[in-house]
């Protein structure tokens, strides 16, 4: 938060405190509203939404157990769930702070307050509010595509068994590890689990661990405070804080370097994060889902993945089968993508020709659902009739790098080279990158490019 931004509502029965805070916080918030009693709190929130609410814990004379504050906290969360609540009390009661945070408060300030600490706390609450609003807006934008991005279960026995398992565990808060090859839809399954959970109305925050650079690991996941490093111009909530109340999805967790695994384990165990540059732990309430395309038990045995972290993220283990192991799902999936892309590109294409369907069924789909999706999209673009023909599907030759006529493309050669290195090292991307002489991030980008 740089300069004045956002709005704050202050509720306290001490008028001198209200006056002092209005003067102080007027330098940091665009709008500061004060209430001398909580009786008008709900009606105020109905007429105006606030980014932050600073709420006193005690209002009745002689009562200092904080129960009033907890009651009014619950009322704020009912009426204005997006408002971030910081509690204000003259009594440094840690147990009460924990109770309040479990009920939805983001922090706790003790009177008499230190101005700089109070401002930092409220700014952090504001930044968290903005981060959550941004996630909500992205969710709203994606809502129109929800039908095309929803989970496709198919008719195979393996997927029926998986669906039964997911319907049992999704409503719980159990930590889930999703295993499966690239392109099998692990991120889609994570969204389905979140949609079936009690946290469905809160955010699902996804983090691609394979694309996260080591230098940004702590800042991205745990957040940072202003001045923690050169580009830290303001306090910023990390993914754990933004996901609090909802679900955190850590994709490709097997790519996390060993020396960073202990930091992740510590946060998962304590359910608190400490922002870079700060010494104050912040409690977080998340449901954790992880995914990997690698064999984590083998990595544990070889010493490249921490055993204690593996057991923490592996409460429930599910595996998405590759598309080649459920051929009965290939054509229904292709028809689903056909409907999606025909609408997107304004094409009057209604079906897949029998010879094209046979071609799709005979193809091994090493890139799984993602490869099939891209193949159908290209076919829709190329198609000139009302049915997709076999010739509309330009499928890679997996066992050859030579095209008809002996022509070899650089992309085919590169794709084949990467695939062979991945097979040789059994999916260990660090070893593959070393063998190929490229960075792991470059390798990861190429794997996505070629749907490997």
């Amino acid at each position: 938060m740089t300069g004045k931004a956002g709005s704050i509502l202050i509720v306290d029965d001490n008028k001198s405190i209200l006056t002092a805070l209005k003067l102080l916080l007027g330098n940091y918030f665009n709008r500061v509203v004060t209430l001398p009693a909580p009786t008008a709190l709900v009606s105020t929130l109905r007429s105006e939404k606030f980014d932050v609410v600073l709420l006193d814990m005690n209002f009745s004379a002689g009562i200092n157990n904080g129960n009033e504050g907890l009651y009014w906290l619950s009322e704020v969360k009912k009426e204005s769930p997006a408002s971030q609540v910081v509690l204000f009390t003259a009594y440094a009661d840690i147990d009460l702070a924990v109770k309040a945070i479990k009920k939805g408060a983001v922090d706790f300030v003790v009177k008499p307050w230190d101005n700089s600490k109070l401002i930092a706390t409220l700014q952090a609450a504001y930044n968290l509010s903005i981060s959550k609003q941004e996630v909500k807006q992205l969710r709203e934008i994606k809502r129109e595509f929800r039908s095309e991005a929803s989970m496709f279960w198919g008719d195979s026995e393996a997927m029926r068994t998986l669906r039964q398992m997911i319907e049992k565990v999704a409503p719980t808060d159990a930590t889930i590890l999703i295993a499966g090859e690239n392109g099998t839809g692990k991120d889609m399954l994570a969204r389905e689990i979140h949609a079936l959970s009690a946290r469905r109305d809160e955010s699902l925050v996804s983090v691609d661990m394979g694309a996260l650079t080591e230098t940004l690991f702590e800042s991205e996941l745990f957040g940072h405070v202003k001045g923690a490093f050169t580009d830290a111009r303001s306090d910023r909530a990390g993914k754990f804080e933004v996901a609090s109340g909802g679900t955190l999805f850590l994709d490709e967790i097997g790519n996390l370097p060993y020396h960073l695994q202990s930091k992740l384990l510590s946060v998962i165990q304590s359910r608190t994060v400490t922002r870079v540059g700060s010494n104050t732990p912040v409690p977080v309430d998340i449901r954790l889902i992880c995914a990997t395309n690698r064999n984590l038990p083998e990595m544990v045995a070889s010493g490249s993945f921490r055993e204690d972290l593996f057991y923490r993220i592996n409460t429930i283990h599910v595996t998405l089968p590759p598309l080649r192991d459920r051929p009965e799902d290939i054509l229904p999936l292709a028809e689903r993508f056909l409907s999606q892309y025909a609408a997107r590109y304004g094409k009057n294409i209604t079906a897949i020709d029998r010879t094209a369907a046979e071609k799709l069924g005979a193809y091994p789909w090493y890139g799984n659902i993602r490869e099939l999706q891209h193949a159908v999209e290209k076919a829709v673009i190329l198609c000139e009739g009302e049915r997709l023909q076999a010739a509309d599907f330009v499928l890679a030759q997996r066992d050859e790098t030579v095209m008809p006529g002996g022509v070899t493309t650089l992309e085919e050669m590169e794709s084949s080279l990467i695939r062979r290195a991945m097979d040789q090292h059994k999916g260990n991307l660090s070893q593959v990158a070393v063998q190929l002489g490229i960075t792991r991030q470059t390798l990861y980008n190429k794997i996505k490019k070629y749907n490997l």
Side-chain angles (χ1 to χ4, degrees):
M1 182 175 171
T2 56
K4 293 171 67 171
S7 58
I8 183 169
L9 174 64
I10 308 167
V11 189
D12 197 294
D13 58 1
N14 187 316
K15 292 186 178 179
S16 61
I17 286 179
L18 291 180
T19 302
L21 288 176
K22 188 158 189 174
L23 286 171
L24 173 66
L25 299 178
N27 295 316
Y28 299 91
F29 287 86
N30 279 330
R31 181 159 169 73
V32 180
V33 176
T34 60
L35 287 177
T39 49
L41 177 55
V42 173
S43 60
T44 301
L45 290 173
R46 282 177 184 163
S47 62
E48 182 177 353
K49 297 303 179 187
F50 293 88
D51 298 304
V52 181
V53 176
L54 179 58
L55 177 66
D56 193 18
M57 290 294 290
N58 299 291
F59 296 96
S60 303
I63 299 177
N64 57 22
N65 59 14
N67 285 336
E68 281 187 297
L70 292 177
Y71 168 76
W72 289 111
L73 167 64
S74 67
E75 291 299 297
V76 172
K77 298 313 289 183
K78 282 181 199 170
E79 187 60 42
S80 182
S83 298
Q84 302 304 308
V85 182
V86 176
L87 295 174
F88 214 13
T89 182
Y91 303 92
D93 188 331
I94 300 303
D95 290 336
L96 183 60
V98 172
K99 267 188 194 178
I101 288 168
K102 283 183 178 178
K103 289 180 178 292
V106 295
D107 217 330
F108 194 86
V109 176
V110 178
K111 301 175 186 176
W113 68 88
D114 174 84
N115 280 354
S116 60
K117 288 182 180 178
L118 174 66
I119 291 164
T121 299
L122 295 176
Q123 286 182 325
Y126 168 76
N127 287 331
L128 180 59
S129 174
I130 295 302
S131 294
K132 291 206 169 195
Q133 286 175 38
E134 289 172 348
V135 170
K136 184 178 180 182
Q137 287 167 1
L138 287 172
R139 193 166 66 238
E140 292 296 324
I141 291 169
K142 290 177 180 178
R143 181 170 291 172
E144 62 185 284
F145 302 111
R146 192 166 287 171
S147 60
E148 67 186 46
S150 60
M151 186 69 189
F152 176 82
W153 290 106
D155 297 319
S156 65
E157 180 61 31
M159 291 301 289
R160 280 199 296 269
T161 302
L162 176 62
R163 185 173 191 171
Q164 290 171 0
M165 166 74 83
I166 295 302
E167 288 174 348
K168 289 179 183 178
V169 302
T172 74
D173 262 355
T175 298
I176 297 177
L177 176 62
I178 305 171
E181 295 178 5
N182 280 324
T184 49
K186 297 185 290 295
D187 56 339
M188 192 176 291
L189 181 57
R191 289 197 297 273
E192 183 73 9
I193 293 168
H194 176 71
L196 294 173
S197 76
R199 297 170 179 260
R200 66 181 69 88
D201 294 328
E202 298 296 330
S203 300
L204 168 68
V205 177
S206 300
V207 183
D208 187 341
M209 303 296 277
L212 196 62
T213 62
E214 293 184 21
T215 54
L216 292 177
F217 170 79
E218 289 187 78
S219 175
E220 285 294 314
L221 289 185
F222 312 144
H224 61 252
V225 298
K226 183 179 180 180
F229 47 85
T230 304
D231 293 328
R233 297 184 177 89
S234 63
D235 289 3
R236 182 170 180 247
K239 302 297 187 185
F240 270 87
E241 282 187 76
V242 174
S244 192
T247 303
L248 181 64
F249 174 49
L250 302 182
D251 197 8
E252 303 302 353
I253 195 168
N255 292 336
L256 183 63
Y258 190 86
H259 66 280
L260 296 178
Q261 293 173 18
S262 60
K263 295 181 179 181
L264 178 61
L265 174 64
S266 176
V267 171
I268 294 173
Q269 287 177 326
S270 67
R271 296 286 162 161
T272 62
V273 296
T274 301
R275 294 183 178 185
V276 177
S278 171
N279 294 316
T280 306
V282 178
V284 290
D285 170 28
I286 60 158
R287 197 269 181 85
L288 183 65
I289 302 175
C290 299
T292 183
N293 65 347
R294 303 177 66 178
N295 189 323
L296 293 190
E298 280 189 4
M299 293 178 67
V300 169
S302 67
S304 57
F305 198 88
R306 292 181 65 105
E307 185 175 26
D308 44 7
L309 176 58
F310 174 67
Y311 287 122
R312 276 284 176 180
I313 65 175
N314 195 41
T315 304
I316 301 293
H317 184 104
V318 297
T319 300
L320 270 170
L323 190 55
R324 61 185 173 276
D325 288 351
R326 46 186 183 115
E328 58 267 60
D329 292 338
I330 293 173
L331 185 57
L333 263 171
E335 290 171 339
R336 189 182 201 217
F337 294 137
L338 164 59
S339 176
Q340 173 185 332
Y341 289 114
R344 178 174 299 182
Y345 293 112
K347 294 287 194 88
N348 184 30
I349 306 172
T350 57
I352 299 175
D353 184 75
R354 182 181 57 81
T355 56
E358 291 173 354
K359 182 175 183 178
L360 297 181
Y363 188 73
W365 300 111
Y366 292 115
N368 293 294
I369 296 173
R370 187 185 299 141
E371 185 181 12
L372 175 62
Q373 181 176 0
H374 291 168
V376 174
E377 181 179 13
K378 286 185 286 187
V380 167
I381 293 171
L382 294 172
C383 182
E384 296 179 351
E386 295 183 356
R387 299 170 70 88
L388 291 182
Q389 305 295 324
D392 294 322
F393 289 94
V394 182
L395 304 179
Q397 299 299 311
R398 289 287 173 172
D399 297 322
E400 301 173 353
T401 58
V402 180
M403 296 174 64
V407 179
T408 304
T409 68
L410 289 174
E411 286 193 346
E412 284 181 316
M413 292 177 66
E414 185 175 58
S415 172
S416 177
L417 187 62
I418 294 171
R419 191 183 314 111
R420 289 174 185 172
M422 289 174 66
D423 290 342
Q424 181 181 342
H425 294 290
K426 297 180 179 178
N428 187 322
L429 299 187
S430 296
Q431 292 179 14
V432 173
V434 170
Q435 177 179 319
L436 297 176
I438 58 178
T439 66
R440 195 177 62 182
Q441 182 59 52
T442 299
L443 173 62
Y444 191 80
N445 292 340
K446 291 183 183 295
I447 287 173
K448 282 193 170 182
K449 176 181 177 181
Y450 298 127
N451 300 316
L452 298 177

